Amino acid sequence: MSAAESETLVDTPAEQVLSEARRRRTIAVISHPDAGKSTLTEALALHARALREAGHVHGKAGRAGVVTDWQDMEKQRGISISSAVLQLDHRGTVVNVVDTPGHADFSEDTYRALTAVDAVIMLVDAARGMEQQTRKLFGVCKQRGLPVITVVNKWDRPGQEALALLDEVETVTGLRPTPVTWPVGIAGDFRGLLDRSTGAYTKYTKAPGGATLAVEQHFDPAGAAEVEGDAWQAAVDEHELLEATGADHDEASFLAFETTPVFFTAAVANTGVGQVLDAIVDIAPSPRDQPDVTGEVHPVTGRFSAQVFKTQTGMNPAHRDRLAFARIHSGVFHRGMTVRDDRSGRPMVLKHVQTVFGSDRSTVDVAWPGDVIGLVNARHVNVGDTLSENGRLSYPPLPVFAPEHFRTVRPKDLGAGKQFRQGLRELDAEGVVRVLTSDSRGDGEPVLSAVGALQFDVVQYRMTHEFRSPVLFTELPFTTARIIDREDAPLLRAHRGCEVVENSEGRVFALFTDEWRVRSFARDNPDVRLEELVATSD
């Protein structure tokens, strides 16, 4: 790229930046485990014509696995353990979809992904309703004011009544449900959908294997009544009841976090998903101006800025590279531009930047507000860092969860020390676990801290298969951590039931066996700082 071309891109007119931002939607899919997040994401990609066939989480009966669950452990266990990003194009709109882990043990990854989106799809299991993790994640959406599109999934299986599910959504969230589509046929007998805005009927026939688009037939109300009989009349009666109570979609109240539009799907059969994709384009918000850490609002039309919300290694095993995912908040990115990291002040020339589709990647030359870009081998960039052209802009820090599980780790083979240290550095940078060291244990047997015990399974698997250094764990009795000042470390080391450790950024923590010991120490030493971490998984 020539200097003249670079200058032209840097000085892109604000009107063009705003135009590009307005045709972007960046959303996350959230829910309790096994509600169908990855399957829905895959079905959205199929309807956007980004895939020829949609995969299935377990890849059964000859059907491929989903592209977003690209890690071997995800394929084997049928769960998402890491956020994945897809960029789709639908009706001239760029849709960036972040598929998040649902398991509570990986909730820190999910919460950070929510800082990178402008709206969410909240997936509700038709049989199980609003489950625990869905409720927790909704609380974060409420805190951040993220508009919520509700999708009731698995309507092709036996489940609750549709009206009862709406009551549960409203009771739990406080948002008034405003269904856009309404199912014809009870849960387990999914025949099609009534479009509440037009009264038209779409009848679905599942494609063999469910890997391709379902066959659709379209009817006016009279034709629907002839085809579906009593099932159609029941749907019409419920639609009229909703209409009488004013449960119709209103864009202003949706964006004001007062209502939630509702859709019904059977994502595994690719039915009802096209309406969800249309809704993302039609009603989801485009990127907004964002406040920095001081509260000053920066417009999307300003100079380039982005925040790193995730790093990932091992996406390309042949090259052992590291990818840092950054959400663009303002301005235009162009390949070859120089930016600075707000934390270190270090300048970076962004030559190797890619867009991602699961584990597949392609080089990107230009990107706009709302896009998620992957910085290849940006090893000096950490999660939470803000990148901007002058390096003086900082967006608010990302959530850090209070760990509840602690184990020491050591290599099973002492000859694999180099791989052991490298692997732990990478997993610490990704946030898979936190690697802590102490004077008493040394670097050879660090302490790993985690929000959930399943994170240690991920460490074991990836250290063995990705970094070629199987590890051994020893469980520790600690259950809570507090941030402390370095000068108070000797006092805390002398306290029974406590250990002092340090993370890779030089922050010092005291680990306690239980909350009683925290309160006891605080009572005896009221002048010592014992700071809780800024977020929890509760």
Side-chain angles (χ1 to χ4, degrees), residues 138-214:
F138 171 79
V140 180
C141 298
K142 183 176 182 179
Q143 184 182 29
R144 294 187 55 80
L146 292 173
V148 176
I149 298 171
T150 298
V151 174
V152 178
N153 192 31
K154 302 185 180 180
W155 200 254
D156 56 336
R157 303 180 187 180
Q160 301 182 43
E161 292 183 357
L163 291 173
L165 283 166
L166 296 191
D167 287 341
E168 184 179 4
V169 168
E170 184 167 12
T171 300
V172 171
T173 68
L175 301 178
R176 188 177 189 189
T178 55
V180 176
T181 62
W182 194 252
V184 176
I186 62 173
D189 182 26
F190 190 12
R191 304 184 185 189
L193 290 168
L194 185 160
D195 184 325
R196 293 196 60 235
S197 65
T198 65
Y201 174 52
T202 301
K203 181 178 178 61
Y204 293 103
T205 302
K206 179 181 176 181
T212 57
L213 294 176

Side-chain angles (χ1 to χ4, degrees), residues 3 42 265 288 298 329 335 346 408 454 524:
E42 195 89 349
T265 68
R288 301 171 291 178
H298 289 264
H329 286 303
R335 187 158 60 97
R346 181 191 296 265
T408 61
L454 192 54
D524 296 338

Side-chain angles (χ1 to χ4, degrees), residues 28-44 57 66 68-69 79-80 97-103 110 121-124 133-134 137 153-154 267:
V29 184
I30 63 169
S31 80
H32 196 82
D34 200 35
K37 291 183 311 303
S38 297
T39 304
L40 176 65
T41 303
E42 195 89 349
L44 290 170
V57 168
V66 294
T68 52
D69 288 348
I79 61 171
S80 296
V97 183
V98 182
D99 175 45
T100 64
H103 199 290
T110 300
I121 291 175
M122 180 174 70
L123 208 56
V124 177
Q133 187 65 6
T134 308
L137 293 170
N153 192 31
K154 302 185 180 180

